[in-house]
Amino acid sequence: MNHEDPVLLHTEGRVRHIVLNRPRALNALNHAMVVRVDAALAEAERDDSVTAVLITGAGERGLCAGGDIRTIHDDARAGGGTSLDFWRDEYRLNARIARFPKPYVAIMDGIVMGGGVGISAHGDVRVVTERSRIAMPETGIGFVPDVGGTHLLGAAPGELGIHLALTADAVGAADALLCGLADHFVPSQRLAGLTVEIADCGTAAGIEETVRRYASPAPQGELAAHREWIDSCYRADTVEEIIDRLDRSGVPAAKEAAEAILGKSPTALKVTLSALRRARGLGSLEAVLDQEYRTSCTAFTRPDLVEGVRAQIIDKDRAPRWSPASLAEVTEADVALFFAPLGDRELGLAAAPAATD
């Protein structure tokens, strides 16, 4: 095993370990890593001696901060197209994880954002800790939640998913559990013991029972206390009306949410709201990933993605110049373009859900 590799693979007992190994980049995913993880899952599926897969991130800071958006920025700025190939393989990996026939255990310790959610939250056993910070932050960089994020957030109770998608807020363990993004809270100091014990578990029931023994109630979260205004405000038909309801609610936290939303890309906000509501009616993860591939391909050609990454990641001036600059300038026709069929460039997962090899 070469410890310089961005993905480390080894087996302990009956569990195949996949370790994302770019700790200085918060284990951000690039195309080679996606291909490596997908191949590792295909191999583990065929290997009868492997009864489960465990995915973790190297270092102390998190499982995965998302896709390598600096590379995507450079590709978009140069008028390239390699990012579209990356997303195609990444979304196919997300679908493989969701239907993987053996227990897929994800340790969602530390920062888990964007692509990190895609590589963990579609699994069978999703463990969070007191250090977990989970988010789909795409609207802040002029992008739209992907990697099955609109499927996950669309299924969250009430309007919690809309709130998290539009504000790009990160949540801790309790709120991740509430939103259905995770299953168990395990204190970080107990993770080492947990991974040792599940190594010899031969069944899904055995792994689940072991994780439950290590789990405990999560520290109190924040969202449960805000459900009333969240569900009321985010039920509105448009982003503009959502912001108006938040402003008029009289709740300080709601006004803060409105201010946070107004800092995001107007186009990304409107497309995101439409994407989550459409996702609720699509049913399968595969159909949602097909839709997300359309929105991602279109976002890739728009100025807000390059500008958002510049402002947040490259120059870090936190002052993006969105185009269009206001919600009022983003028309229904503009939004509809993000959902237009791609012809022979479609991802096509819903049409052939088993074809991931």
Side-chain angles (χ1 to χ4, degrees):
M1 181 168 59
N2 183 353
H3 292 279
E4 299 280 323
D5 287 346
V7 177
L8 303 178
L9 306 173
H10 67 279
T11 301
E12 293 183 15
R14 307 189 69 182
V15 175
R16 188 65 163 161
H17 285 242
I18 300 174
V19 184
L20 305 182
N21 188 39
R22 295 181 69 205
R24 284 180 292 181
L26 273 170
N27 300 317
L29 291 170
N30 58 34
H31 200 168
M33 293 169 72
V34 165
V35 171
R36 183 81 181 273
V37 173
D38 190 75
L41 290 181
E43 182 183 351
E45 184 174 341
R46 294 190 298 265
D47 189 341
D48 291 339
S49 70
V50 172
T51 58
V53 167
L54 175 72
I55 188 162
T56 58
E60 297 290 323
R61 298 165 65 197
L63 170 65
C64 175
D68 191 339
I69 58 175
R70 185 182 290 265
T71 298
I72 294 169
H73 164 276
D74 293 347
D75 185 30
R77 189 176 181 187
T82 59
S83 297
L84 309 186
D85 296 329
F86 165 66
W87 287 323
R88 179 177 292 275
D89 287 339
E90 184 182 26
Y91 302 171
R92 288 181 177 276
L93 173 60
N94 301 144
R96 182 190 283 280
I97 291 168
R99 58 172 173 269
F100 193 67
K102 300 175 182 181
Y104 183 99
V105 183
I107 305 299
M108 302 170 72
D109 186 29
I111 293 173
V112 185
M113 296 185 178
V117 173
I119 209 166
S120 58
H122 299 301
D124 304 292
V125 182
R126 306 163 300 172
V127 174
V128 285
T129 75
E130 76 282 357
R131 302 185 297 204
S132 295
R133 298 298 294 168
I134 300 170
M136 294 300 295
E138 288 77 9
T139 55
I141 59 166
F143 199 52
V144 180
D146 64 339
V147 299
T150 60
H151 177 78
L152 294 163
L153 294 178
E159 302 300 320
L160 291 175
I162 301 289
H163 169 68
L164 294 181
L166 297 187
T167 61
D169 281 353
V171 296
D175 290 332
L177 293 167
L178 173 63
C179 292
L181 301 173
D183 305 300
H184 304 282
F185 171 79
V186 175
S188 59
Q189 68 268 22
R190 306 196 76 192
L191 291 177
L194 171 63
T195 58
V196 169
E197 280 212 33
I198 67 171
D200 294 318
C201 290
T203 65
I207 290 174
E208 185 70 28
E209 192 277 329
T210 300
V211 174
R212 288 186 184 279
R213 281 195 289 106
Y214 275 82
S216 59
Q220 186 173 352
E222 300 176 7
L223 291 180
H226 297 305
R227 280 292 302 279
E228 184 175 354
W229 65 260
I230 286 175
D231 288 350
S232 174
C233 294
Y234 289 94
R235 200 176 291 124
D237 290 336
T238 66
V239 177
E240 291 94 330
E241 189 179 350
I242 287 171
I243 292 171
D244 184 59
R245 289 188 185 188
L246 291 168
D247 276 334
R248 291 189 293 105
S249 69
V251 179
K255 189 169 183 62
E256 290 173 8
E259 293 171 357
I261 293 170
L262 285 171
K264 308 299 187 286
S265 158
T267 300
L269 288 170
K270 288 199 171 183
V271 175
T272 294
L273 180 62
S274 181
L276 260 77
R277 291 186 169 159
R278 290 171 183 243
R280 288 170 174 170
L282 289 174
S284 74
L285 172 62
E286 287 82 6
V288 175
L289 287 165
D290 285 345
Q291 174 176 275
E292 289 178 350
Y293 189 67
R294 296 181 195 119
T295 61
S296 295
C297 287
T298 304
F300 183 74
T301 67
R302 300 307 171 91
D304 279 3
L305 176 58
V306 169
E307 174 61 12
V309 177
R310 179 207 64 76
Q312 300 296 336
I313 305 299
I314 297 175
D315 296 340
K316 298 182 180 179
D317 59 24
R318 307 291 192 267
R321 296 178 290 275
W322 304 122
S323 178
S326 70
L327 288 165
E329 294 174 89
V330 182
T331 68
E332 290 185 12
D334 293 332
V335 174
L337 287 174
F338 282 76
F339 300 93
L342 299 173
D344 59 5
R345 296 187 297 118
E346 287 280 1
L347 184 59
L349 280 173
T356 56
D357 285 327

